[in-house]
Amino acid sequence: MQEDVVRRGRLSGERTGEINQFLSSMDADRCIADADLLVDIAHLMMLERQGVIDRENAAAIMKVLLAMQKTGVPEEAFSEHFEDIHAGIESVLIAIAGEDAGGRLHIGRSRNDEVAACIRLHLRDELILQLGLLVKLREVLLGCAQQHRESFIPGFTHFQHAQPTTLAHHLLAYEQAFSRDFDRLNQAYSRVNLSPMGAAAFASTGYRIDRDYTASLLGFDGIIMNTMDAVAARDFAIEVLSALSIMMATISRLCEELVLWSSSFTGFVSLEDSFCSTSSIMPQKKNPDTVEIMRAKAGSVAGACTSALVITKGLPMSYNRDLQELTPHLWRGARDASMSLQLLPGILSGARFDTVRMKTEAGKGLSTATDVADLLVRKYNLPFRTAHSIVGRAVKKGSVELKALDEAAKEIMGNTLSEIGLTQNQVITALSVENSVVSRDHPGGPAPSATAEAIALARDKLNIDHKNVESKKSGVSHAIDTMLAEAGRLAQ
Ligand code: ARG
């Protein structure tokens, strides 16, 4: 077992397994082990370039770091008798390279700036992944919307049949929400991708370091200026978790609809078998388990966000070990969100919609009653409130046919609508689901012409967002490749 180089000077006595387990962040640190090596490499290159560490020692350390980088962080670095992966990697490094060289890597830094840098690097990759997945999800939604521009469905308020709309309109509502989720995560990215390195414990260091150089090696967009803030801040993580919670709340609403729509009450959609389960006792069952789990994941992500927020709320400046407890919530929240994002496009593109059934339901519940009231306003110049009352009274009588409308009008305004010229044919035309939907052709409306325009606009933004993700991805990998190539030269 490697000696823990961090503890050995100041502290004595072996710790019990329970204490180690309680204190160690090793489990969660598996997520940041690779990032830690990159931070080590960048820090070392900066120290050498600044003349803080000589070329020979730098080369000896770099050889070991690059070997680990190639083969993966060795398992012994993950032993739980180390408090964390930073202590683990440094201890293994010193065991291999010797203390005279390896013991110099931690000049001018602390685990406090180190861990913050690692979290930011890994979170940056997570964000790029999630942004890419959001682009894909939106693409699928737009594709489905395009296919279903003429598929009528009932629109609900209070889960009561309200007005007819199209499936395209409904799916586009989700696409818009996911487009805002993209924007939120994209903005969060700009606050994540900043370097805390050089902050050391919190007060920076007296060595002639170059914070900007370390930041640029790692592909960060800049540094976090105040060094106390650099180690103490976790608002970037809470911000990401909160954006993910909002996104998951939308995903959960969509899942809820897929549950409702696939029920035999509704019968609008059939999900692919691979996303469903059956019952161990009821052989006829096909249950939409995947979307149910996804609906629940929204709760888990919101829980992770709440945990992270509450962990930080009572902490004085600057670093407190409590911060370690926040990080696993971040990775758990990010994983639940990205797994959901990964599955959802397949669920949607494999969903079979029963357009006949949807159309039948679209006209139920007198869903076009508003159009009859609108007809009375437009054609016979009635005040909308009077028209609304007449149609409402007719509905109360159980019908919106001319006879019932006439009776209602007589009660409300003293004369019938037939008297002023209303015909049964006009009422029938107003009650048509197609006519109702097609007439709602304003920007953002359900009419097929309006959804065609909305899809085109959404595609334009999606293309820009897609390019944005690609450029982030290539910018980051270019920075890391360049750094590693330079690191290779230093190791010679
Ligand atoms: N494992 C620690 C964390 O995740 C790393 C920083 C430790 N710093 C300290 N001063 N004990 O926060």
Side-chain angles (χ1 to χ4, degrees), residues 153-313:
I153 52 162
F156 299 93
T157 61
H158 314 270
F159 203 53
Q160 308 282 329
H161 288 71
Q163 289 175 333
T165 181
T166 51
L167 182 56
H169 189 230
H170 201 121
L171 295 174
L172 285 169
Y174 280 106
E175 194 282 332
Q176 295 276 279
F178 290 128
S179 164
R180 292 191 295 275
D181 289 318
F182 182 98
D183 294 343
R184 268 187 285 271
L185 287 170
N186 190 37
Q187 282 164 12
Y189 182 96
S190 68
R191 284 178 280 277
V192 167
N193 197 31
L194 297 171
S195 175
M197 289 307 289
F202 73 88
S204 80
T205 171
Y207 296 103
R208 295 292 95 202
I209 58 164
D210 182 344
R211 296 192 66 197
D212 290 322
Y213 181 58
T214 314
S216 76
L217 283 173
L218 289 167
F220 282 121
D221 295 325
I223 61 169
I224 297 154
M225 190 55 73
N226 181 291
T227 58
M228 188 177 276
D229 181 39
V231 298
R234 290 294 183 275
D235 53 288
F236 69 91
I238 299 168
E239 185 178 354
V240 170
L241 280 170
S242 106
L244 291 177
S245 301
I246 296 171
M247 178 187 86
M248 287 302 293
T250 305
I251 287 183
S252 182
R253 293 179 78 162
L254 179 52
C255 289
E256 167 69 3
E257 299 209 295
L258 291 172
V259 170
L260 291 173
W261 287 357
S262 60
S263 138
S264 53
F265 284 125
T266 320
F268 288 176
V269 75
S270 170
L271 301 179
E272 262 179 10
D273 283 2
S274 49
F275 295 113
C276 298
S277 303
T278 187
S279 156
S280 60
I281 178 169
M282 298 167 282
Q284 84 283 10
K285 291 299 300 285
K286 176 176 164 180
N287 300 324
D289 293 35
T290 314
V291 285
E292 289 175 318
I293 295 274
M294 213 173 275
R295 191 172 55 181
K297 291 284 186 197
S300 303
V301 177
C305 180
T306 307
S307 301
L309 180 64
V310 178
I311 284 169
T312 59
K313 77 163 185 56

Side-chain angles (χ1 to χ4, degrees), residues 25 29 83-84 86 111-112 115 319 321 323-324 327:
S25 54
D29 285 356
E83 282 187 4
D84 51 38
H86 320 294
R111 282 182 297 171
N112 299 351
V115 71
Y319 179 84
R321 192 68 181 274
L323 292 178
Q324 173 176 297
T327 317

